[in-house]
Amino acid sequence: MTSNFDPRLTASALTRALVNGQTMQQGEPTQAQYLSNEQADAVSPTDRCHSDPLQTAQGVYVTIHGHFYQPPRENPYLDAIERQPSAAPFHDWNERIHHECYRPNAFARILNEQGDVLGIVNNYEFLSFNIGPTLMNWLERHDVETYQRILDADRKSCARLNGHGNAIAQAYNHIILPLANDRDKLTQIRWGKADFHSRFGRDPEGMWLAETAVDYATLEALVSEGIKFIVLAPSQAQRCRSLSMHDQPASEWLEVGGGQIDPTRPYRCFLKHEDAHPTPHTLHPTPFIDIFFYDGPISRDMGFDSALSSSHHLAGRLGQAVRGDQRPSQLISVATDGETFGHHKGGTEKCLAYAFAYEFPDRGWTVTNFAHYLSLHTPTWEVELKPVTAWSCSHGVDRWQDDCGCGGGGLWNQQWRRPLRDALDWLRDQLINVYEAAGKKLFSDPWLARDEYIQVVRDRSLTSLDGFLSRHQTHKFTASERVDALHLLEMQRHALLMYTSCGWFFEELSRPEGVQLLRYAVRALELAGEVTGIQLEKAFVRRLALAPSNVECFKHGAEVYDQLVRTAQISMEQVAAHYAISSLFTTYSQEHQIYCYTAQQLDYQLQRMGSLTLAIGQLQLVSDITRESTHLVFAVVHLGGWDFHCCIQPFSGRRDYADMKEQLFESIKQASAAQTILAMNALFGSQSHSLQSLFAEERHRIMRLLTHETLTRLDQLYTQVYRDNYGVLIAFHRDELAVPRELQVAAEIALSHRVMLSLRALEQESSDRSTLPAAASRLLELESIATEATHLHCQLNLPEARQTLERLVLRSLWQLLYHFDSNTCKTELNRLERLLILGEQLHLNLSLAQAQELYFQRLQNWIIPECVHWLSNAGQSKPDRVVTIPLADLRSLLALGRTLAVDVSGWLKQLPV
């Protein structure tokens, strides 16, 4: 083995070398081969440990920690996030921040001076990070590729850092642990650990505390659950001293309450505070937890100043923290919200990627994480903490219970914080009584059942649920007892969620964060009532009335509850109404999913008479969360336009249902809306549902369908106006005269309509190889329309065109790279280039991100090996293996990389023409 192997070489540095076309001498092992070897036979293990900073503490270590978190935003009744207009053009804030931060960090670019991609780095492989369980749930559902890269990053960091992965756990739903009761503290920690283990396949060594809020009771809970270390702000330390060894007297305490603690070393915090701590030889050593304090000034500069303006600047700023003393090793650690890297500070994930690949290795620094550094450097100092603190409040934890001034500003106050917490604490205590009284009849240990309920939250399959209940039930449950048991556990889950810290963080109770807490609260008290009949709402609302709002239309928390919380409650009847009205526009299968409900269609019949449409059916609805089930009957009449009348009632028997159907279908024969509605009210009662009863997403879809016919007629009208006046428009543009606005608008609407129709057809025709000739003609048509629009200076309105064209590009690229055929290569490359040019002609500003990622993956595992093969066999009469890509095609594939803004110039220069 050669002696130039650097154990600090990162995978991204290796990627950089490969992409730039840096080849090894003939017969010399590549760095990739070095990295894959399990042992280096030429170097003894002892020598390697002495020279390897991954094995022995030596030199400067760098840890950048990202706290990635989004609060739970799901509707408590639907288990899904509804559209949030403030996040436009994205569906919701999770999706927006994901687009700006979470995915870009999984595919962070290293760019050359021209902005072309040199390398793609998975930043999670080199960041220390925690990702809140509620955010991981969302990632798992909505972008499994990014989710998997996060898990892979932890596995790779474990392999690189002697079994110590980059990921640490988080207290489950980001509650302020010092303000929680003892039982909730433990459940939050246990749920955080269990969620972590279910994803990463290992127990967490450390845990991130919400807002780094801590007191000694919290430390005791963490130690009892096996957490080895936490990360805090320097301002949270009170005093520190070097640890006494053996029988030596304890050293003097150093007061560091002003944030002066040295953050370059780990500290040990003992749970009992005595002048002389037991030595390691003591039979019962004092319990302790290790603590890292991040560098406060640099962390603040990363979040609020220019430390992330470039990787060189970041490395220089970190370098200022390196101590010049003679200690064998030191850790420079910083911590900030993970959303800083891309969301708060756009594009800064690239700064991190370049620093990991270039800046830090070039300075001889070792990128590590807290757990790995702790394995090399056992604390030699101890620390005592201030009684109760957090990183985002200078008044302990008053930001989450009092009007302390933190998070406020202007004329608004936060006097609502204390009454809100008091109201929730009162509700929590009432729910404890309900849970213990009803739970002891169902569970052998109700609180153990709650602690282990996270297993069901992670996997709501019937198999998982049955296994959980078999371990905890006092007897075999009836169907109703099974539902009661789940109602109780969901009641407790929502009682935990209603303490999510974000609800107090900002300046006003009626913000979405505060409203979300109250929605969890109302769901919890509703579930309590369903199990035991207890009515808690009135007393809860009275307490909320003591929380003053800064917004005039609300006045206090009770009004916030009435206007924004109670109106968001959803019953099974509303789910059935959603199904019934939607069924007029969608052909449902026998079993259909409506958010977290399974709807089984038992009967359905539809009749049309003139402008009226009547549908009658039977429906079995089952909640996938609580397993409660209801058998309902519905009738819905569409009167035309926006008018719907829908009625729901419990199924009362086949004879009643048959009679109801007969009467209603008889009434519609008269083609009288009034007669049909009167008949429905006579059979169902006066309570009815309308289009407004639908959940927002489906309501908006039906609104678009209802306007489609009108818009189609308008498109036809504008198209006719455009055709009739095409020559006039050409003349105006030819003579550079101002075009009459009416004619220009007609042209823009007509051409926009044609583009969207042709794009949808192109996507459909491209999905089947048998219709590819038609797709080729369609692409030619689109190019013609784009040219026409350019000549007429049209500003086209193409709301879905960008996403459609990006999908087409990705599909074509996948076909080319994963089903390569030399016979069709030229045609497929030409099609790809034309799609990309079309995007430019239509001014769609296509994102090439996913196309680059797909190409880069194949570049590494297919195209570059083929290049190496060609170069290594140049001039040889007998190649060592069969060529799979002809040279001309190989150059074309590399040229495609250039089109996708991937730097492949090194390989193009080396390959023969």
Side-chain angles (χ1 to χ4, degrees):
M1 171 173 283
T2 57
S3 60
N4 64 346
F5 173 56
D6 182 354
R8 293 166 297 193
L9 179 70
T10 64
S12 46
L14 175 60
T15 294
R16 178 186 73 213
L18 288 174
V19 174
N20 284 338
Q22 298 171 10
T23 57
M24 310 298 289
Q25 295 297 317
Q26 185 70 27
E28 181 182 358
T30 65
Q31 291 279 20
Q33 289 171 314
Y34 290 160
L35 291 174
S36 66
N37 288 341
E38 295 181 1
Q39 295 180 338
D41 296 330
V43 182
S44 73
T46 303
D47 291 341
R48 188 163 59 250
C49 285
H50 284 314
S51 62
D52 187 353
L54 299 182
Q55 304 289 338
T56 305
Q58 54 182 291
V60 175
Y61 295 78
V62 173
T63 294
I64 298 177
H65 184 85
H67 163 50
F68 295 90
Y69 164 74
Q70 289 300 311
R73 292 189 167 99
E74 286 77 8
N75 182 313
Y77 296 88
L78 302 178
D79 194 35
I81 302 176
E82 297 176 285
R83 183 173 296 279
Q84 297 177 307
S86 62
F90 298 94
H91 178 273
D92 54 68
W93 278 101
N94 279 23
E95 185 178 286
R96 177 169 177 169
I97 298 170
H98 172 64
H99 176 81
E100 297 168 349
C101 173
Y102 306 132
R103 185 177 179 94
N105 274 287
F107 297 92
R109 270 55 169 178
I110 295 176
L111 306 178
N112 63 16
E113 293 179 354
Q114 290 73 42
D116 294 336
V117 177
L118 275 171
I120 294 179
V121 177
N122 185 348
N123 278 347
Y124 300 104
E125 193 176 333
F126 306 100
L127 279 170
S128 167
F129 66 88
N130 70 281
I131 302 182
T134 53
L135 174 56
M136 285 294 270
N137 283 339
W138 187 91
L139 289 170
E140 188 177 17
R141 287 184 182 184
H142 293 88
D143 188 349
V144 70
E145 187 178 15
T146 296
Y147 176 78
Q148 193 59 52
R149 280 179 73 86
I150 292 169
L151 302 188
D152 289 344
D154 183 70
R155 280 193 288 270
K156 289 177 180 177
S157 64
C158 276
R160 181 170 60 92
L161 301 173
N162 307 328
H164 302 284
N166 286 343
I168 65 173
Q170 178 195 292
Y172 187 74
N173 64 274
H174 214 264
I175 76 169
I176 303 301
L177 289 181
L179 296 176
N181 65 25
D182 290 344
R183 192 177 283 121
D184 286 356
K185 277 188 179 72
L186 289 173
T187 299
Q188 285 283 327
I189 295 167
R190 289 167 181 169
W191 280 24
K193 284 185 60 182
D195 184 274
F196 183 96
H197 191 279
S198 72
R199 300 178 193 281
F200 294 99
R202 62 181 180 86
D203 288 331
E205 297 181 76
M207 178 166 281
W208 184 266
L209 307 180
E211 306 296 334
T212 71
V214 71
D215 60 1
Y216 274 91
T218 299
L219 295 183
E220 290 173 7
L222 292 165
V223 171
S224 72
E225 295 305 311
I227 298 299
K228 297 177 182 177
F229 70 87
I230 57 173
V231 183
L232 298 179
S235 60
Q236 295 177 269
Q238 182 63 57
R239 59 181 187 167
C240 64
R241 65 180 178 183
S242 62
L243 278 168
S244 58
M245 301 302 293
H246 304 291
D247 297 326
Q248 295 178 0
S251 60
E252 294 295 321
W253 286 103
L254 299 176
E255 296 297 326
V256 292
Q260 306 98 323
I261 195 165
D262 180 358
T264 64
R265 59 165 64 99
Y267 294 82
R268 183 147 291 174
C269 183
F270 293 93
L271 300 189
K272 294 180 181 179
H273 312 295
E274 302 171 358
D275 288 337
H277 291 294
T279 68
H281 304 289
T282 305
L283 186 59
H284 299 291
T286 306
F288 64 84
I289 191 168
D290 293 332
I291 300 177
F292 291 90
F293 295 92
Y294 61 79
D295 188 296
I298 301 178
S299 299
R300 280 191 296 274
D301 287 351
M302 289 173 65
F304 304 104
D305 210 326
S306 59
L308 293 172
S309 59
S310 73
S311 58
H312 181 72
H313 193 178
L314 173 62
R317 188 69 183 87
L318 291 170
Q320 294 174 12
V322 176
R323 306 296 172 100
D325 51 27
Q326 299 302 310
R327 70 182 76 177
S329 72
Q330 54 186 300
L331 174 69
I332 310 302
S333 67
V334 291
T336 189
D337 288 336
E339 291 74 21
T340 300
F341 310 124
H343 171 57
H344 299 309
K345 291 181 174 289
T348 50
E349 78 284 349
K350 300 181 187 71
C351 168
L352 287 183
Y354 196 90
F356 291 139
Y358 286 78
E359 294 287 352
F360 298 164
D362 288 350
R363 293 170 184 251
W365 296 348
T366 302
V367 177
T368 188
N369 59 48
F370 294 115
H372 174 251
Y373 189 75
L374 195 60
S375 73
L376 303 180
H377 193 293
T378 302
T380 57
W381 284 65
E382 67 172 303
V383 67
E384 284 188 1
L385 302 180
K386 296 175 183 177
V388 56
T389 54
W391 74 346
S392 52
C393 180
S394 55
H395 313 90
V397 292
D398 284 352
R399 185 170 189 160
W400 299 275
Q401 63 180 348
D402 278 317
D403 184 14
C404 69
C406 292
L411 300 177
W412 284 8
N413 64 65
Q414 287 72 54
Q415 295 174 14
W416 52 270
R417 285 177 177 164
R418 171 56 66 182
L420 173 62
R421 183 160 288 277
D422 288 345
L424 292 177
D425 284 349
W426 174 85
L427 178 58
R428 175 199 63 200
D429 294 342
Q430 299 302 309
L431 297 177
I432 288 173
N433 295 334
V434 170
Y435 185 68
E436 289 185 333
K440 66 183 180 183
K441 302 173 184 176
L442 300 171
F443 304 118
S444 53
D445 183 339
W447 295 112
L448 178 61
R450 184 181 82 160
D451 285 341
E452 296 188 1
Y453 184 57
I454 183 62
Q455 299 164 9
V456 177
V457 174
R458 284 290 295 128
D459 178 6
R460 292 197 180 274
S461 66
L462 282 172
T463 302
S464 169
L465 176 60
D466 289 342
F468 169 82
L469 292 177
S470 69
R471 292 191 299 273
H472 293 284
Q473 61 193 10
T474 55
H475 58 281
K476 186 172 179 58
F477 287 164
T478 64
S480 63
E481 286 176 326
R482 185 185 179 93
V483 170
D484 282 348
L486 288 170
H487 278 171
L488 287 172
L489 290 163
E490 279 296 301
M491 175 191 77
Q492 281 297 311
R493 183 172 75 91
H494 285 86
L496 292 169
L497 292 173
M498 72 186 185
Y499 281 108
T500 302
S501 67
C502 309
W504 286 269
F505 192 81
F506 299 102
E507 72 278 10
E508 166 57 21
L509 171 60
S510 61
R511 279 180 56 105
E513 298 85 3
V515 171
Q516 186 73 8
L517 298 195
L518 295 179
R519 287 181 175 176
Y520 289 130
V522 71
R523 180 60 176 152
L525 62 86
E526 181 182 80
L527 289 165
E530 290 180 3
V531 176
T532 66
I534 190 171
Q535 298 299 313
L536 300 172
E537 186 178 45
K538 289 182 179 178
F540 179 63
V541 173
R542 282 199 305 271
R543 286 166 171 80
L544 286 180
L546 301 176
S549 170
N550 293 291
V551 180
E552 179 62 30
C553 66
F554 295 123
K555 295 184 174 59
H556 49 69
E559 280 298 317
V560 173
Y561 183 90
D562 284 337
Q563 295 184 43
L564 301 179
V565 179
R566 185 177 281 127
T567 55
Q569 289 180 271
I570 293 172
S571 65
M572 294 283 260
E573 287 73 18
Q574 284 174 274
V575 179
H578 173 100
Y579 180 95
I581 296 174
S582 298
S583 73
L584 299 175
F585 301 90
T586 304
T587 302
Y588 284 137
S589 57
Q590 189 172 4
E591 193 169 278
H592 179 73
Q593 200 69 28
I594 305 176
Y595 293 102
C596 57
Y597 299 89
T598 299
Q600 185 177 4
Q601 187 183 101
L602 304 177
D603 183 60
Y604 187 82
Q605 193 170 344
L606 181 146
Q607 284 190 13
R608 302 185 192 278
M609 186 66 66
S611 62
L612 301 182
T613 303
L614 174 67
I616 301 171
Q618 278 185 63
L619 194 63
Q620 186 81 31
L621 273 180
V622 180
S623 166
D624 298 338
I625 293 177
T626 64
R627 300 295 168 178
E628 61 185 307
S629 175
T630 184
H631 188 175
L632 298 170
V633 171
F634 65 82
V636 57
V637 62
H638 183 202
L639 309 174
W642 303 84
D643 294 327
F644 297 83
H645 189 79
C646 178
C647 296
I648 309 290
Q649 70 179 15
F651 178 76
S652 57
R654 293 181 181 177
R655 180 176 297 176
D656 289 345
Y657 177 66
D659 290 344
M660 181 266 291
K661 283 176 63 176
E662 183 178 354
Q663 291 181 51
L664 289 180
F665 284 131
E666 187 64 33
S667 71
I668 200 175
K669 290 179 181 178
Q670 303 174 31
S672 166
Q675 290 295 326
T676 302
I677 290 174
L678 285 173
M680 288 172 67
N681 289 345
L683 291 165
F684 285 87
S686 59
Q687 186 173 1
S688 65
H689 302 269
S690 66
L691 184 63
Q692 195 61 32
S693 303
L694 268 70
F695 306 140
E697 308 275 341
E698 184 68 6
R699 182 171 69 250
H700 297 161
R701 185 183 75 88
I702 290 176
M703 288 165 62
R704 287 190 292 270
L705 288 173
L706 291 171
T707 57
H708 178 72
E709 185 178 344
T710 301
L711 292 175
T712 300
R713 288 200 302 270
L714 286 171
D715 286 330
Q716 292 170 347
L717 176 62
Y718 279 112
T719 298
Q720 190 62 49
V721 171
Y722 170 60
R723 287 174 177 169
D724 291 346
N725 293 275
Y726 178 77
V728 176
L729 275 165
I730 290 294
F732 270 98
H733 282 291
R734 182 190 60 219
D735 294 343
E736 298 183 349
L737 296 175
V739 180
R741 183 63 187 151
E742 295 81 359
L743 294 182
Q744 188 68 22
V745 167
E748 290 173 353
I749 292 176
L751 292 177
S752 297
H753 180 60
R754 283 176 60 195
V755 168
M756 291 311 304
L757 287 178
S758 297
L759 263 180
R760 292 185 189 113
L762 177 62
E763 185 172 32
Q764 187 172 359
E765 291 160 356
S766 299
S767 62
D768 189 338
R769 296 193 69 86
S770 65
T771 56
L772 284 180
S777 300
R778 193 75 62 182
L779 180 56
L780 190 62
E781 178 187 353
L782 279 163
E783 291 168 334
S784 175
I785 298 171
T787 301
E788 192 174 335
T790 300
H791 287 162
L792 296 176
H793 306 291
C794 290
Q795 301 291 320
L796 302 185
N797 179 28
L798 307 170
E800 302 168 15
R802 175 178 170 173
Q803 294 90 330
T804 303
L805 203 50
E806 285 173 357
R807 287 195 299 270
L808 282 166
V809 167
L810 205 59
R811 184 184 300 164
S812 297
L813 186 62
W814 180 276
Q815 177 66 32
L816 173 66
L817 297 180
Y818 280 91
H819 300 281
F820 179 77
D821 184 344
S822 184
N823 297 318
T824 60
C825 174
K826 187 174 180 179
T827 301
E828 291 176 348
L829 281 167
N830 178 258
R831 170 185 163 84
L832 252 175
E833 290 176 3
R834 289 171 64 192
L835 288 171
L836 293 170
I837 293 170
L838 178 64
E840 294 176 3
Q841 291 176 317
L842 295 174
H843 308 289
L844 295 180
N845 191 27
L846 295 182
S847 169
L848 296 179
Q850 286 188 274
Q852 287 175 341
E853 291 153 13
L854 176 60
Y855 178 84
F856 198 83
Q857 184 181 45
R858 291 300 277 162
L859 179 68
Q860 289 180 290
N861 60 28
W862 178 49
I863 298 174
I864 286 177
E866 289 296 324
C867 291
V868 172
H869 170 67
W870 268 100
L871 294 171
S872 62
N873 286 284
Q876 293 187 21
S877 58
K878 294 182 179 180
D880 59 4
R881 65 178 174 84
V882 177
V883 173
T884 60
I885 309 179
L887 180 60
D889 289 344
L890 188 57
R891 290 191 62 85
S892 295
L893 289 172
L894 288 169
L896 173 62
R898 194 163 51 192
T899 302
L900 294 173
V902 175
D903 186 352
V904 291
S905 55
W907 293 107
L908 276 170
K909 288 176 183 177
Q910 292 187 64
L911 285 179
V913 179

